Amino acid sequence: MTRLAILAAAAGCASAMRTFELAPGVEMPAVLLGTGYMPPDCDPKPACQNAWQNATGYAMTKAWLAAGGRGIDTAWMYNDQIGVAAAVAESGVSDEVFVLTKIPGVMNYSTAMNFLEQNVAQLGRPLDAVISHWCDANAQHPLPPGFACTEAHIWDTWRALEDFYRAGKARAIGVSNYCVRHMETLRKNFTIAPQLHQIERSPYYEQEAMTAYCKEHGIHIQGYAPLNDADRQSGSGPAAHALLKDPVVTAVAAGAGVTPGQALLLWQVQRGHSVTPRVGGLNRTTPNLQHIRENLAVVDGTAPLLSEDALRRLDAIADRPKTWPTAGLCHDTL
């Protein structure tokens, strides 16, 4: 289910929130705070880098929740879940917060269950949504022994997610960076269909084939890097945030009375997809409060909607190489 809804604000909140229904009774905010940042090169490794990632996750999450945000996107691989959990616990609104997390790839059943339990332990709460982060090997996430993208590992990982869901330890389950062939492998054996698929998606990289596939099978699409932002560039893709200066984007934004970033988020939300924009930058632990306010205006409904003509103009922007070229590059979903 991917129905867009407007939830009445919880007690103490001033405004309504745009949400998507992943499963009966499971409403996810349309805009989640993205928390994955590549750490700086510091020593001693990995302690220095893990501390930086947790400090960054804490600072971003604290500012987001204080401003009224309620959706958080994190992952075991981000090494920031302890910081995110601390900010949620201190917020005073933990019961209102929706946290999506990920396990690192595909693996055997017992290893997948162990990672799921680690996520619960690090976050200190049952999982609102948990997804398998990727399947294919890539330069960003090289696969150690036991994590090969095989049919057996896809099925074992999904069976663990299904069992976690049935046990009430996760309210929604899904995948990320999967290709059509991986989705078809899942379809052969699943008893619970994926409820969401997180993929890189923006007007520069629309993934029309995967978007159509998920729509056909009732799987919610969530777009990461919706503002064309990345910490690590391959040299083949557009420069980070180039999309914010694209002349079509700036013209659409000016015509609608919104910022370029808001136009890009609205394009996704109005097309039925949630998004996970970040609010910092490379090697930056200080959240951008202006960007937080702009993003929240999209999720709380105060930013004006784009016209259908404006949406079509953004649809028509020519695709470019992936912002994150090392993760989720599927030749069958371009």
Side-chain angles (χ1 to χ4, degrees), residues 52-162:
W52 184 93
Q53 288 170 304
N54 272 302
T56 301
Y58 174 84
M60 301 298 175
T61 302
K62 182 177 180 179
W64 177 252
L65 296 178
R70 292 297 181 264
I72 310 292
D73 171 62
T74 184
W76 185 91
M77 182 59 70
Y78 296 168
N79 293 314
D80 68 0
Q81 294 192 134
I82 293 172
V84 167
V88 171
E90 295 171 10
S91 69
V93 294
S94 60
D95 290 346
E96 302 172 20
V97 177
F98 186 102
V99 179
L100 181 150
T101 187
K102 311 171 191 75
I103 58 173
V106 293
M107 61 214 80
N108 65 39
Y109 178 87
S110 62
T111 303
M113 289 297 287
N114 181 52
F115 276 116
L116 289 166
E117 294 290 359
Q118 284 187 47
N119 279 351
V120 171
Q122 289 182 9
L123 291 168
R125 54 188 284 152
L127 309 178
D128 294 303
V130 59
I131 61 182
S132 169
H133 207 157
W134 62 82
C135 190
D136 274 336
N138 55 71
Q140 182 182 339
H141 304 301
L143 303 185
F147 289 77
C149 182
T150 64
E151 286 197 356
H153 282 165
I154 291 173
W155 294 335
D156 270 4
T157 300
W158 191 252
R159 185 162 57 91
L161 286 164
E162 288 182 332

Side-chain angles (χ1 to χ4, degrees), residues 10-321:
C13 294
S15 60
M17 181 178 293
R18 287 178 173 139
T19 67
F20 288 99
E21 184 182 64
L22 298 180
V26 181
E27 300 282 349
M28 178 179 67
V31 180
L32 283 73
L33 171 71
T35 67
Y37 286 87
M38 293 293 184
D41 186 16
C42 61
D43 292 309
K45 296 181 180 67
C48 174
Q49 293 180 323
N50 290 353
W52 184 93
Q53 288 170 304
N54 272 302
T56 301
Y58 174 84
M60 301 298 175
T61 302
K62 182 177 180 179
W64 177 252
L65 296 178
R70 292 297 181 264
I72 310 292
D73 171 62
T74 184
W76 185 91
M77 182 59 70
Y78 296 168
N79 293 314
D80 68 0
Q81 294 192 134
I82 293 172
V84 167
V88 171
E90 295 171 10
S91 69
V93 294
S94 60
D95 290 346
E96 302 172 20
V97 177
F98 186 102
V99 179
L100 181 150
T101 187
K102 311 171 191 75
I103 58 173
V106 293
M107 61 214 80
N108 65 39
Y109 178 87
S110 62
T111 303
M113 289 297 287
N114 181 52
F115 276 116
L116 289 166
E117 294 290 359
Q118 284 187 47
N119 279 351
V120 171
Q122 289 182 9
L123 291 168
R125 54 188 284 152
L127 309 178
D128 294 303
V130 59
I131 61 182
S132 169
H133 207 157
W134 62 82
C135 190
D136 274 336
N138 55 71
Q140 182 182 339
H141 304 301
L143 303 185
F147 289 77
C149 182
T150 64
E151 286 197 356
H153 282 165
I154 291 173
W155 294 335
D156 270 4
T157 300
W158 191 252
R159 185 162 57 91
L161 286 164
E162 288 182 332
D163 287 350
F164 219 68
Y165 178 80
R166 289 192 187 96
K169 295 182 178 181
R171 301 172 63 213
I173 54 177
V175 296
S176 178
N177 294 311
Y178 276 37
C179 302
V180 169
R181 63 186 182 276
H182 306 139
M183 303 297 282
E184 285 296 291
T185 296
L186 271 184
R187 276 170 41 81
K188 295 177 185 176
N189 284 278
F190 67 58
T191 57
I192 301 170
Q195 291 151 334
L196 75 157
H197 188 188
Q198 188 186 97
I199 57 174
E200 180 177 331
R201 191 173 187 279
S202 76
Y204 275 179
Y205 196 71
E206 290 192 42
Q207 298 216 52
E208 292 97 336
M210 180 56 76
T211 300
Y213 179 93
C214 289
K215 182 178 181 180
E216 177 185 356
H217 296 289
I219 302 168
H220 177 72
I221 287 281
Q222 183 171 82
Y224 70 80
L227 306 181
N228 166 237
D229 64 314
D231 288 343
R232 180 177 292 171
Q233 299 291 311
S234 71
S236 63
H241 296 110
L243 187 55
L244 294 172
K245 300 176 183 178
D246 185 279
V248 176
V249 175
T250 57
V252 164
V258 297
T259 68
Q262 287 175 323
L264 293 169
L265 300 185
L266 286 164
W267 173 76
Q268 302 250 33
V269 171
Q270 289 181 237
R271 289 299 194 218
H273 315 301
S274 57
V275 285
T276 64
R278 301 182 301 177
V279 293
L282 180 59
N283 295 345
R284 177 177 174 178
T285 58
T286 303
N288 186 314
L289 299 182
Q290 179 61 34
H291 289 172
I292 288 176
R293 287 190 289 270
E294 291 173 4
N295 294 353
L296 286 176
V298 173
V299 76
D300 69 18
T302 56
L305 296 178
L306 303 182
S307 68
E308 183 59 33
D309 177 69
L311 293 172
R312 289 197 190 102
R313 291 173 67 190
L314 296 177
D315 290 340
I317 292 176
D319 272 6
R320 301 191 185 186

